Amino acid sequence: MASKDRKQVEIVERGDIFFLYRPRVGETDPESLSDVQRFFVVLRPEHATKVRLLVVGRKRLPDAHEHERHWGFVGAIASSAAALEKDLREEIYDTKTRGRQRLPAARPAGEGRYLVCRAAQWTIASQLRARASRAAIRGTTRLQHRTAGKLRLSVKNPEKPSPPGLGLGQAQETDYPDRLQQEFRGRRFARDDIKLLDVQGAEFVLVGARTDPEKAYNVDLDVEKEDERHSEMLRELKMAKSRHPIEPLFSGEWA
């Protein structure tokens, strides 16, 4: 029989999770989060034909001990992880007031495994749990992310208003098909169907929760120590050294 702290869970999705950050325009040597423009999380589910690129607010994951809440949205849906790579490359563009601008390529910061599960008798039914294997996302490094943890995930109803100062503009909000829109049942948030994240522009809230999900739920996230040659991220996202500085993935430092 499971102990009180080990809930029986239904795993609805598992796969690879990748973390990346993009420095601000013109920033070649970032030293803190203030030098970062965006923080990305890529979810690549097993046996699926869609890969999600999530954009997480405040440029880091929410702290589990503080139960922080961070807003985010689905930036892109692709048929494969490699198909996302072109959206993560360096961009050079011209402006009328500041001339030519350079937006650096996204840089890999961590990778690991994740589960999305439904736990019986929980008020919040679905959780996104990630264990990252790279030093760059440990809580003691500059990126301020944790090696293991659980995040409660809720998807926002686009027909309901966002809190002041949060959320995408009306032109960027998603328009769910009727079948998925019905999942909200008139509520501001839904937590029952992971397919709500399979639409570009879907907005969500992540809440930091338990810090050791493997122990609590007796699940194995199958994280292995890897080097450059065996990195799932570099292989799946086709991230060439010539386009994306990969040092943060292994050193845990800014690059």
Side-chain angles (χ1 to χ4, degrees):
M1 180 179 296
S3 69
K4 182 178 180 181
D5 290 332
R6 288 193 173 185
K7 313 293 184 184
Q8 293 297 313
V9 300
E10 173 193 355
I11 297 174
V12 298
E13 182 177 295
R14 70 168 71 223
D16 295 316
I17 186 168
F18 307 133
F19 302 88
L20 307 98
Y21 66 93
R22 188 193 289 276
R24 289 187 179 277
V25 172
E27 180 60 64
T28 59
D29 188 22
E31 295 182 351
S32 69
L33 289 177
S34 63
D35 298 327
V36 173
Q37 176 167 304
R38 277 188 169 172
F39 171 59
F40 302 105
V41 177
V42 175
L43 300 181
R44 189 182 75 87
E46 290 181 350
H47 313 302
T49 58
K50 291 184 178 179
V51 179
R52 312 177 187 99
L53 176 70
L54 310 184
V55 181
V56 180
R58 299 178 68 178
K59 298 174 288 190
R60 61 180 177 85
L61 295 178
D63 186 280
H65 295 289
E66 299 296 329
H67 300 289
E68 289 183 314
R69 297 171 180 265
H70 289 189
W71 201 267
F73 65 92
V74 179
I77 299 291
S79 58
S80 67
L84 290 175
E85 190 270 336
K86 64 180 184 300
D87 294 328
L88 301 171
R89 296 179 185 177
E90 175 184 273
E91 297 179 20
I92 298 177
Y93 56 94
D94 294 318
T95 65
K96 292 182 179 180
T97 58
R98 303 184 64 183
R100 178 154 294 188
Q101 297 293 299
R102 174 180 173 269
L103 180 63
R107 306 174 182 193
E111 64 181 43
R113 298 283 293 172
Y114 76 96
L115 302 174
V116 177
C117 68
R118 184 172 295 114
Q121 300 177 350
W122 274 60
T123 302
I124 297 180
S126 299
Q127 292 86 31
L128 168 70
R129 295 205 294 259
R131 177 170 180 141
S133 57
R134 300 276 67 86
I137 56 176
R138 291 177 184 159
T140 56
T141 65
R142 300 176 190 176
L143 285 179
Q144 302 178 37
H145 302 144
R146 300 196 174 278
T147 308
K150 184 186 74 178
L151 302 172
R152 293 176 179 171
L153 185 151
S154 301
V155 182
K156 176 187 170 292
N157 185 345
E159 296 183 352
K160 299 294 184 180
S162 300
L166 294 176
L168 297 173
Q170 187 173 1
Q172 297 174 291
E173 288 184 342
T174 190
D175 184 15
Y176 283 113
D178 290 342
R179 180 184 62 82
L180 286 178
Q181 184 61 43
Q182 291 173 5
E183 295 285 341
F184 292 97
R185 299 194 290 277
R187 301 169 300 179
R188 290 187 63 194
F189 294 96
R191 310 177 181 98
D192 301 326
D193 192 346
I194 192 63
K195 291 183 175 61
L196 290 170
L197 285 181
D198 288 340
V199 181
Q200 184 170 335
E203 297 180 82
F204 56 84
V205 174
L206 293 176
V207 181
R210 189 185 297 270
T211 58
D212 192 353
E214 288 184 305
K215 180 178 179 181
Y217 299 111
N218 195 27
V219 294
D220 185 1
L221 293 177
D222 303 321
V223 177
E224 298 178 358
K225 185 176 181 180
E226 298 170 349
D227 55 24
E228 179 180 337
R229 191 165 48 123
H230 299 96
S231 168
E232 289 286 341
M233 174 184 278
L234 301 185
R235 180 166 60 250
E236 296 294 337
L237 286 174
K238 308 295 184 186
M239 303 192 84
K241 291 181 182 180
S242 59
R243 293 196 185 110
H244 305 273
I246 66 173
E247 291 85 355
L249 185 59
F250 305 104
S251 69
E253 301 293 333
W254 295 106

